[in-house]
PDB file of all heavy atoms in Angstrom:
ATOM      1  N   ASP A  16     154.481  61.840  35.373  1.00 90.00           N
ATOM      2  CA  ASP A  16     155.749  61.574  36.044  1.00 90.00           C
ATOM      3  C   ASP A  16     156.036  62.600  37.170  1.00 90.00           C
ATOM      4  O   ASP A  16     156.327  62.243  38.290  1.00 90.00           O
ATOM      5  CB  ASP A  16     156.942  61.626  35.050  1.00 90.00           C
ATOM      6  CG  ASP A  16     156.880  60.433  34.095  1.00 90.00           C
ATOM      7  OD1 ASP A  16     156.110  59.512  34.373  1.00 90.00           O
ATOM      8  OD2 ASP A  16     157.619  60.463  33.089  1.00 90.00           O
ATOM      9  N   GLU A  17     155.914  63.866  36.763  1.00 88.00           N
ATOM     10  CA  GLU A  17     156.279  64.925  37.731  1.00 88.00           C
ATOM     11  C   GLU A  17     155.321  64.972  38.916  1.00 88.00           C
ATOM     12  O   GLU A  17     155.727  65.258  40.039  1.00 88.00           O
ATOM     13  CB  GLU A  17     156.317  66.296  37.036  1.00 88.00           C
ATOM     14  CG  GLU A  17     157.469  66.500  36.073  1.00 88.00           C
ATOM     15  CD  GLU A  17     158.827  66.472  36.749  1.00 88.00           C
ATOM     16  OE1 GLU A  17     158.923  66.937  37.905  1.00 88.00           O
ATOM     17  OE2 GLU A  17     159.790  65.975  36.126  1.00 88.00           O
ATOM     18  N   LEU A  18     154.047  64.735  38.641  1.00 88.00           N
ATOM     19  CA  LEU A  18     153.076  64.860  39.740  1.00 88.00           C
ATOM     20  C   LEU A  18     152.824  63.502  40.408  1.00 88.00           C
ATOM     21  O   LEU A  18     152.010  63.399  41.341  1.00 88.00           O
ATOM     22  CB  LEU A  18     151.744  65.443  39.216  1.00 88.00           C
ATOM     23  CG  LEU A  18     151.883  66.835  38.527  1.00 88.00           C
ATOM     24  CD1 LEU A  18     150.531  67.284  37.996  1.00 88.00           C
ATOM     25  CD2 LEU A  18     152.458  67.866  39.478  1.00 88.00           C
ATOM     26  N   ASP A  19     153.540  62.489  39.910  1.00 86.00           N
ATOM     27  CA  ASP A  19     153.521  61.159  40.521  1.00 86.00           C
ATOM     28  C   ASP A  19     152.069  60.633  40.637  1.00 86.00           C
ATOM     29  O   ASP A  19     151.640  60.169  41.692  1.00 86.00           O
ATOM     30  CB  ASP A  19     154.157  61.264  41.925  1.00 86.00           C
ATOM     31  CG  ASP A  19     154.589  59.904  42.429  1.00 86.00           C
ATOM     32  OD1 ASP A  19     154.794  59.008  41.577  1.00 86.00           O
ATOM     33  OD2 ASP A  19     154.692  59.719  43.649  1.00 86.00           O
ATOM     34  N   GLU A  36     147.394  67.825  42.405  1.00 84.00           N
ATOM     35  CA  GLU A  36     148.849  67.916  42.650  1.00 84.00           C
ATOM     36  C   GLU A  36     149.528  69.107  41.943  1.00 84.00           C
ATOM     37  O   GLU A  36     150.636  69.450  42.236  1.00 84.00           O
ATOM     38  CB  GLU A  36     149.549  66.626  42.236  1.00 84.00           C
ATOM     39  CG  GLU A  36     149.151  65.407  43.010  1.00 84.00           C
ATOM     40  CD  GLU A  36     147.989  64.643  42.375  1.00 84.00           C
ATOM     41  OE1 GLU A  36     147.294  65.242  41.498  1.00 84.00           O
ATOM     42  OE2 GLU A  36     147.774  63.477  42.723  1.00 84.00           O
ATOM     43  N   ASP A  38     150.188  72.547  41.639  1.00 86.00           N
ATOM     44  CA  ASP A  38     150.039  73.778  42.408  1.00 86.00           C
ATOM     45  C   ASP A  38     151.173  74.742  42.073  1.00 86.00           C
ATOM     46  O   ASP A  38     151.982  74.493  41.163  1.00 86.00           O
ATOM     47  CB  ASP A  38     149.983  73.459  43.906  1.00 86.00           C
ATOM     48  CG  ASP A  38     151.210  72.714  44.384  1.00 86.00           C
ATOM     49  OD1 ASP A  38     152.238  72.750  43.689  1.00 86.00           O
ATOM     50  OD2 ASP A  38     151.163  72.105  45.473  1.00 86.00           O
ATOM     51  N   SER A  39     151.235  75.819  42.828  1.00 83.00           N
ATOM     52  CA  SER A  39     152.224  76.857  42.525  1.00 83.00           C
ATOM     53  C   SER A  39     153.638  76.350  42.692  1.00 83.00           C
ATOM     54  O   SER A  39     154.580  76.914  42.152  1.00 83.00           O
ATOM     55  CB  SER A  39     151.996  78.080  43.399  1.00 83.00           C
ATOM     56  OG  SER A  39     152.054  77.723  44.758  1.00 83.00           O
ATOM     57  N   LEU A  40     153.810  75.250  43.467  1.00 83.00           N
ATOM     58  CA  LEU A  40     155.150  74.692  43.655  1.00 83.00           C
ATOM     59  C   LEU A  40     155.546  73.757  42.526  1.00 83.00           C
ATOM     60  O   LEU A  40     156.648  73.840  41.998  1.00 83.00           O
ATOM     61  CB  LEU A  40     155.210  73.908  44.979  1.00 83.00           C
ATOM     62  CG  LEU A  40     155.242  74.779  46.253  1.00 83.00           C
ATOM     63  CD1 LEU A  40     154.658  74.040  47.424  1.00 83.00           C
ATOM     64  CD2 LEU A  40     156.660  75.193  46.558  1.00 83.00           C
ATOM     65  N   SER A  41     154.621  72.881  42.134  1.00 86.00           N
ATOM     66  CA  SER A  41     154.965  71.909  41.084  1.00 86.00           C
ATOM     67  C   SER A  41     154.896  72.527  39.687  1.00 86.00           C
ATOM     68  O   SER A  41     155.440  71.959  38.724  1.00 86.00           O
ATOM     69  CB  SER A  41     154.045  70.678  41.182  1.00 86.00           C
ATOM     70  OG  SER A  41     152.707  71.091  41.137  1.00 86.00           O
ATOM     71  N   ILE A  43     156.406  74.991  38.221  1.00 87.00           N
ATOM     72  CA  ILE A  43     157.680  75.253  37.561  1.00 87.00           C
ATOM     73  C   ILE A  43     158.398  73.959  37.172  1.00 87.00           C
ATOM     74  O   ILE A  43     159.038  73.886  36.131  1.00 87.00           O
ATOM     75  CB  ILE A  43     158.576  76.146  38.445  1.00 87.00           C
ATOM     76  CG1 ILE A  43     157.973  77.530  38.554  1.00 87.00           C
ATOM     77  CG2 ILE A  43     159.990  76.240  37.945  1.00 87.00           C
ATOM     78  CD1 ILE A  43     157.818  78.254  37.203  1.00 87.00           C
ATOM     79  N   VAL A  47     159.837  73.231  33.522  1.00 90.00           N
ATOM     80  CA  VAL A  47     161.259  72.844  33.267  1.00 90.00           C
ATOM     81  C   VAL A  47     161.319  71.508  32.510  1.00 90.00           C
ATOM     82  O   VAL A  47     162.056  71.378  31.522  1.00 90.00           O
ATOM     83  CB  VAL A  47     162.040  72.771  34.603  1.00 90.00           C
ATOM     84  CG1 VAL A  47     163.412  72.149  34.356  1.00 90.00           C
ATOM     85  CG2 VAL A  47     162.187  74.137  35.224  1.00 90.00           C
ATOM     86  N   GLU A  50     160.350  72.112  28.930  1.00 91.00           N
ATOM     87  CA  GLU A  50     161.450  72.769  28.193  1.00 91.00           C
ATOM     88  C   GLU A  50     162.519  71.756  27.812  1.00 91.00           C
ATOM     89  O   GLU A  50     163.012  71.752  26.684  1.00 91.00           O
ATOM     90  CB  GLU A  50     162.084  73.861  29.067  1.00 91.00           C
ATOM     91  CG  GLU A  50     161.237  75.119  29.197  1.00 91.00           C
ATOM     92  CD  GLU A  50     161.917  76.202  30.034  1.00 91.00           C
ATOM     93  OE1 GLU A  50     162.645  75.878  30.990  1.00 91.00           O
ATOM     94  OE2 GLU A  50     161.704  77.379  29.731  1.00 91.00           O
ATOM     95  N   ARG A  56     163.075  76.983  25.128  1.00 90.00           N
ATOM     96  CA  ARG A  56     163.152  77.819  26.357  1.00 90.00           C
ATOM     97  C   ARG A  56     162.049  78.885  26.271  1.00 90.00           C
ATOM     98  O   ARG A  56     161.972  79.661  25.327  1.00 90.00           O
ATOM     99  CB  ARG A  56     164.515  78.468  26.460  1.00 90.00           C
ATOM    100  CG  ARG A  56     164.686  79.250  27.714  1.00 90.00           C
ATOM    101  CD  ARG A  56     166.081  79.100  28.295  1.00 90.00           C
ATOM    102  NE  ARG A  56     166.204  79.986  29.452  1.00 90.00           N
ATOM    103  CZ  ARG A  56     166.017  79.609  30.694  1.00 90.00           C
ATOM    104  NH1 ARG A  56     165.677  78.357  30.979  1.00 90.00           N
ATOM    105  NH2 ARG A  56     166.143  80.446  31.693  1.00 90.00           N
ATOM    106  N   PHE A  57     161.179  78.852  27.303  1.00 90.00           N
ATOM    107  CA  PHE A  57     160.139  79.913  27.380  1.00 90.00           C
ATOM    108  C   PHE A  57     160.783  81.122  28.057  1.00 90.00           C
ATOM    109  O   PHE A  57     161.685  80.955  28.889  1.00 90.00           O
ATOM    110  CB  PHE A  57     158.973  79.476  28.260  1.00 90.00           C
ATOM    111  CG  PHE A  57     158.272  78.236  27.810  1.00 90.00           C
ATOM    112  CD1 PHE A  57     158.272  77.087  28.581  1.00 90.00           C
ATOM    113  CD2 PHE A  57     157.598  78.220  26.584  1.00 90.00           C
ATOM    114  CE1 PHE A  57     157.611  75.927  28.153  1.00 90.00           C
ATOM    115  CE2 PHE A  57     156.926  77.067  26.167  1.00 90.00           C
ATOM    116  CZ  PHE A  57     156.955  75.921  26.951  1.00 90.00           C
ATOM    117  N   SER A  59     160.210  84.506  30.669  1.00 83.00           N
ATOM    118  CA  SER A  59     159.406  84.671  31.919  1.00 83.00           C
ATOM    119  C   SER A  59     157.987  85.139  31.625  1.00 83.00           C
ATOM    120  O   SER A  59     157.039  84.655  32.229  1.00 83.00           O
ATOM    121  CB  SER A  59     160.091  85.711  32.822  1.00 83.00           C
ATOM    122  OG  SER A  59     161.397  85.325  33.060  1.00 83.00           O
ATOM    123  N   ILE A  62     155.745  82.303  30.428  1.00 87.00           N
ATOM    124  CA  ILE A  62     155.337  81.386  31.516  1.00 87.00           C
ATOM    125  C   ILE A  62     154.230  82.016  32.340  1.00 87.00           C
ATOM    126  O   ILE A  62     153.236  81.373  32.695  1.00 87.00           O
ATOM    127  CB  ILE A  62     156.560  81.031  32.421  1.00 87.00           C
ATOM    128  CG1 ILE A  62     157.613  80.302  31.578  1.00 87.00           C
ATOM    129  CG2 ILE A  62     156.120  80.169  33.591  1.00 87.00           C
ATOM    130  CD1 ILE A  62     158.929  80.056  32.323  1.00 87.00           C
TER     131      ILE A  62
ATOM    132  N   THR B 275     152.233  73.389  53.907  1.00 93.00           N
ATOM    133  CA  THR B 275     151.893  73.868  52.560  1.00 93.00           C
ATOM    134  C   THR B 275     150.400  74.175  52.483  1.00 93.00           C
ATOM    135  O   THR B 275     149.973  75.224  52.030  1.00 93.00           O
ATOM    136  CB  THR B 275     152.280  72.805  51.494  1.00 93.00           C
ATOM    137  OG1 THR B 275     153.617  72.377  51.773  1.00 93.00           O
ATOM    138  CG2 THR B 275     152.226  73.371  50.100  1.00 93.00           C
ATOM    139  N   ARG B 279     147.807  77.753  52.232  1.00 92.00           N
ATOM    140  CA  ARG B 279     146.741  77.966  51.244  1.00 92.00           C
ATOM    141  C   ARG B 279     145.450  78.386  51.914  1.00 92.00           C
ATOM    142  O   ARG B 279     144.533  78.860  51.274  1.00 92.00           O
ATOM    143  CB  ARG B 279     146.496  76.654  50.480  1.00 92.00           C
ATOM    144  CG  ARG B 279     147.462  76.509  49.384  1.00 92.00           C
ATOM    145  CD  ARG B 279     147.061  75.410  48.406  1.00 92.00           C
ATOM    146  NE  ARG B 279     148.274  74.926  47.787  1.00 92.00           N
ATOM    147  CZ  ARG B 279     148.764  73.720  47.982  1.00 92.00           C
ATOM    148  NH1 ARG B 279     148.117  72.847  48.718  1.00 92.00           N
ATOM    149  NH2 ARG B 279     149.908  73.380  47.417  1.00 92.00           N
ATOM    150  N   ASN B 290     152.744  84.872  46.623  1.00 93.00           N
ATOM    151  CA  ASN B 290     152.880  83.868  45.570  1.00 93.00           C
ATOM    152  C   ASN B 290     152.925  84.520  44.180  1.00 93.00           C
ATOM    153  O   ASN B 290     153.800  84.218  43.382  1.00 93.00           O
ATOM    154  CB  ASN B 290     151.725  82.867  45.657  1.00 93.00           C
ATOM    155  CG  ASN B 290     151.815  81.807  44.594  1.00 93.00           C
ATOM    156  OD1 ASN B 290     152.812  81.123  44.465  1.00 93.00           O
ATOM    157  ND2 ASN B 290     150.768  81.677  43.797  1.00 93.00           N
ATOM    158  N   PHE B 294     157.041  84.979  44.790  1.00 94.00           N
ATOM    159  CA  PHE B 294     157.454  83.581  44.703  1.00 94.00           C
ATOM    160  C   PHE B 294     157.473  83.049  43.278  1.00 94.00           C
ATOM    161  O   PHE B 294     158.463  82.456  42.858  1.00 94.00           O
ATOM    162  CB  PHE B 294     156.528  82.714  45.594  1.00 94.00           C
ATOM    163  CG  PHE B 294     156.878  81.264  45.548  1.00 94.00           C
ATOM    164  CD1 PHE B 294     158.069  80.833  46.115  1.00 94.00           C
ATOM    165  CD2 PHE B 294     156.043  80.324  44.977  1.00 94.00           C
ATOM    166  CE1 PHE B 294     158.415  79.470  46.097  1.00 94.00           C
ATOM    167  CE2 PHE B 294     156.370  78.980  44.949  1.00 94.00           C
ATOM    168  CZ  PHE B 294     157.541  78.563  45.506  1.00 94.00           C
ATOM    169  N   GLN B 295     156.403  83.285  42.500  1.00 91.00           N
ATOM    170  CA  GLN B 295     156.378  82.755  41.123  1.00 91.00           C
ATOM    171  C   GLN B 295     157.463  83.363  40.256  1.00 91.00           C
ATOM    172  O   GLN B 295     158.185  82.621  39.574  1.00 91.00           O
ATOM    173  CB  GLN B 295     154.997  82.976  40.502  1.00 91.00           C
ATOM    174  CG  GLN B 295     153.900  82.028  41.031  1.00 91.00           C
ATOM    175  CD  GLN B 295     154.211  80.551  40.810  1.00 91.00           C
ATOM    176  OE1 GLN B 295     154.844  80.165  39.837  1.00 91.00           O
ATOM    177  NE2 GLN B 295     153.797  79.720  41.744  1.00 91.00           N
ATOM    178  N   MET B 298     160.637  81.716  41.269  1.00 90.00           N
ATOM    179  CA  MET B 298     160.695  80.314  40.781  1.00 90.00           C
ATOM    180  C   MET B 298     161.047  80.276  39.301  1.00 90.00           C
ATOM    181  O   MET B 298     161.821  79.428  38.861  1.00 90.00           O
ATOM    182  CB  MET B 298     159.357  79.625  41.012  1.00 90.00           C
ATOM    183  CG  MET B 298     159.085  79.233  42.453  1.00 90.00           C
ATOM    184  SD  MET B 298     160.036  77.769  42.943  1.00 90.00           S
ATOM    185  CE  MET B 298     158.936  76.458  42.475  1.00 90.00           C
ATOM    186  N   ILE B 299     160.453  81.214  38.549  1.00 89.00           N
ATOM    187  CA  ILE B 299     160.712  81.210  37.099  1.00 89.00           C
ATOM    188  C   ILE B 299     162.192  81.567  36.834  1.00 89.00           C
ATOM    189  O   ILE B 299     162.833  80.911  36.040  1.00 89.00           O
ATOM    190  CB  ILE B 299     159.742  82.234  36.390  1.00 89.00           C
ATOM    191  CG1 ILE B 299     158.308  81.697  36.424  1.00 89.00           C
ATOM    192  CG2 ILE B 299     160.197  82.477  34.949  1.00 89.00           C
ATOM    193  CD1 ILE B 299     157.274  82.679  35.940  1.00 89.00           C
ATOM    194  N   ARG B 302     164.670  78.662  37.841  1.00 86.00           N
ATOM    195  CA  ARG B 302     164.219  77.303  37.524  1.00 86.00           C
ATOM    196  C   ARG B 302     165.334  76.419  36.984  1.00 86.00           C
ATOM    197  O   ARG B 302     165.186  75.201  36.970  1.00 86.00           O
ATOM    198  CB  ARG B 302     163.063  77.336  36.547  1.00 86.00           C
ATOM    199  CG  ARG B 302     163.368  77.824  35.145  1.00 86.00           C
ATOM    200  CD  ARG B 302     162.062  77.914  34.389  1.00 86.00           C
ATOM    201  NE  ARG B 302     162.210  78.145  32.961  1.00 86.00           N
ATOM    202  CZ  ARG B 302     162.408  79.350  32.438  1.00 86.00           C
ATOM    203  NH1 ARG B 302     162.530  80.419  33.212  1.00 86.00           N
ATOM    204  NH2 ARG B 302     162.505  79.478  31.113  1.00 86.00           N
ATOM    205  N   ASN B 303     166.449  77.003  36.623  1.00 83.00           N
ATOM    206  CA  ASN B 303     167.539  76.122  36.146  1.00 83.00           C
ATOM    207  C   ASN B 303     168.593  75.853  37.213  1.00 83.00           C
ATOM    208  O   ASN B 303     169.650  75.336  36.904  1.00 83.00           O
ATOM    209  CB  ASN B 303     168.189  76.735  34.904  1.00 83.00           C
ATOM    210  CG  ASN B 303     167.193  76.697  33.741  1.00 83.00           C
ATOM    211  OD1 ASN B 303     166.434  75.734  33.617  1.00 83.00           O
ATOM    212  ND2 ASN B 303     167.167  77.741  32.933  1.00 83.00           N
ATOM    213  N   LEU B 313     161.479  79.596  48.244  1.00 94.00           N
ATOM    214  CA  LEU B 313     160.609  79.465  49.416  1.00 94.00           C
ATOM    215  C   LEU B 313     161.187  80.200  50.617  1.00 94.00           C
ATOM    216  O   LEU B 313     160.481  80.963  51.303  1.00 94.00           O
ATOM    217  CB  LEU B 313     160.422  77.984  49.761  1.00 94.00           C
ATOM    218  CG  LEU B 313     159.393  77.232  48.926  1.00 94.00           C
ATOM    219  CD1 LEU B 313     159.516  75.741  49.165  1.00 94.00           C
ATOM    220  CD2 LEU B 313     157.974  77.705  49.268  1.00 94.00           C
ATOM    221  N   PHE B 345     158.318  70.262  50.283  1.00 90.00           N
ATOM    222  CA  PHE B 345     158.453  70.252  48.831  1.00 90.00           C
ATOM    223  C   PHE B 345     159.384  69.127  48.379  1.00 90.00           C
ATOM    224  O   PHE B 345     159.083  68.358  47.456  1.00 90.00           O
ATOM    225  CB  PHE B 345     158.973  71.603  48.335  1.00 90.00           C
ATOM    226  CG  PHE B 345     159.184  71.636  46.865  1.00 90.00           C
ATOM    227  CD1 PHE B 345     158.096  71.630  45.991  1.00 90.00           C
ATOM    228  CD2 PHE B 345     160.468  71.675  46.322  1.00 90.00           C
ATOM    229  CE1 PHE B 345     158.291  71.656  44.601  1.00 90.00           C
ATOM    230  CE2 PHE B 345     160.651  71.723  44.935  1.00 90.00           C
ATOM    231  CZ  PHE B 345     159.572  71.703  44.082  1.00 90.00           C
ATOM    232  N   ARG B 348     157.828  65.517  49.019  1.00 86.00           N
ATOM    233  CA  ARG B 348     156.400  65.315  48.683  1.00 86.00           C
ATOM    234  C   ARG B 348     156.103  63.942  48.073  1.00 86.00           C
ATOM    235  O   ARG B 348     155.117  63.285  48.458  1.00 86.00           O
ATOM    236  CB  ARG B 348     155.850  66.434  47.803  1.00 86.00           C
ATOM    237  CG  ARG B 348     156.670  66.646  46.565  1.00 86.00           C
ATOM    238  CD  ARG B 348     156.157  67.706  45.617  1.00 86.00           C
ATOM    239  NE  ARG B 348     155.173  68.635  46.160  1.00 86.00           N
ATOM    240  CZ  ARG B 348     154.464  69.466  45.420  1.00 86.00           C
ATOM    241  NH1 ARG B 348     154.594  69.452  44.103  1.00 86.00           N
ATOM    242  NH2 ARG B 348     153.630  70.301  45.941  1.00 86.00           N
ATOM    243  N   LYS B 349     156.968  63.481  47.174  1.00 83.00           N
ATOM    244  CA  LYS B 349     156.694  62.168  46.535  1.00 83.00           C
ATOM    245  C   LYS B 349     156.852  61.051  47.546  1.00 83.00           C
ATOM    246  O   LYS B 349     156.046  60.116  47.582  1.00 83.00           O
ATOM    247  CB  LYS B 349     157.634  61.953  45.341  1.00 83.00           C
ATOM    248  CG  LYS B 349     157.256  62.810  44.139  1.00 83.00           C
ATOM    249  CD  LYS B 349     158.080  62.471  42.939  1.00 83.00           C
ATOM    250  CE  LYS B 349     157.656  63.392  41.778  1.00 83.00           C
ATOM    251  NZ  LYS B 349     158.526  63.220  40.599  1.00 83.00           N
ATOM    252  N   LYS B 352     153.956  60.988  49.898  1.00 85.00           N
ATOM    253  CA  LYS B 352     152.731  60.501  49.238  1.00 85.00           C
ATOM    254  C   LYS B 352     152.708  58.981  49.239  1.00 85.00           C
ATOM    255  O   LYS B 352     151.682  58.347  49.518  1.00 85.00           O
ATOM    256  CB  LYS B 352     152.674  61.051  47.809  1.00 85.00           C
ATOM    257  CG  LYS B 352     151.342  60.867  47.158  1.00 85.00           C
ATOM    258  CD  LYS B 352     151.369  61.561  45.793  1.00 85.00           C
ATOM    259  CE  LYS B 352     150.138  61.196  45.025  1.00 85.00           C
ATOM    260  NZ  LYS B 352     150.191  61.773  43.658  1.00 85.00           N
ATOM    261  N   ARG B 353     153.869  58.357  48.905  1.00 85.00           N
ATOM    262  CA  ARG B 353     153.936  56.920  48.882  1.00 85.00           C
ATOM    263  C   ARG B 353     153.707  56.340  50.291  1.00 85.00           C
ATOM    264  O   ARG B 353     153.030  55.335  50.496  1.00 85.00           O
ATOM    265  CB  ARG B 353     155.286  56.454  48.335  1.00 85.00           C
ATOM    266  CG  ARG B 353     155.258  56.370  46.837  1.00 85.00           C
ATOM    267  CD  ARG B 353     156.613  56.115  46.213  1.00 85.00           C
ATOM    268  NE  ARG B 353     156.763  56.984  45.060  1.00 85.00           N
ATOM    269  CZ  ARG B 353     157.869  57.595  44.731  1.00 85.00           C
ATOM    270  NH1 ARG B 353     158.951  57.472  45.464  1.00 85.00           N
ATOM    271  NH2 ARG B 353     157.930  58.366  43.680  1.00 85.00           N
TER     272      ARG B 353
END
Side-chain angles (χ1 to χ4, degrees):
Chain A
D16 290 348
E17 289 295 326
L18 303 178
D19 199 23
E36 295 91 344
D38 58 19
S39 58
L40 285 154
S41 53
I43 291 300
V47 171
E50 285 182 327
R56 184 142 175 94
F57 302 116
S59 305
I62 298 172
Chain B
T275 312
R279 277 194 206 113
N290 180 54
F294 180 67
Q295 286 301 328
M298 284 285 272
I299 289 172
R302 68 186 190 277
N303 292 323
L313 279 168
F345 178 70
R348 54 178 17 192
K349 286 186 181 175
K352 193 175 170 184
R353 274 173 223 140

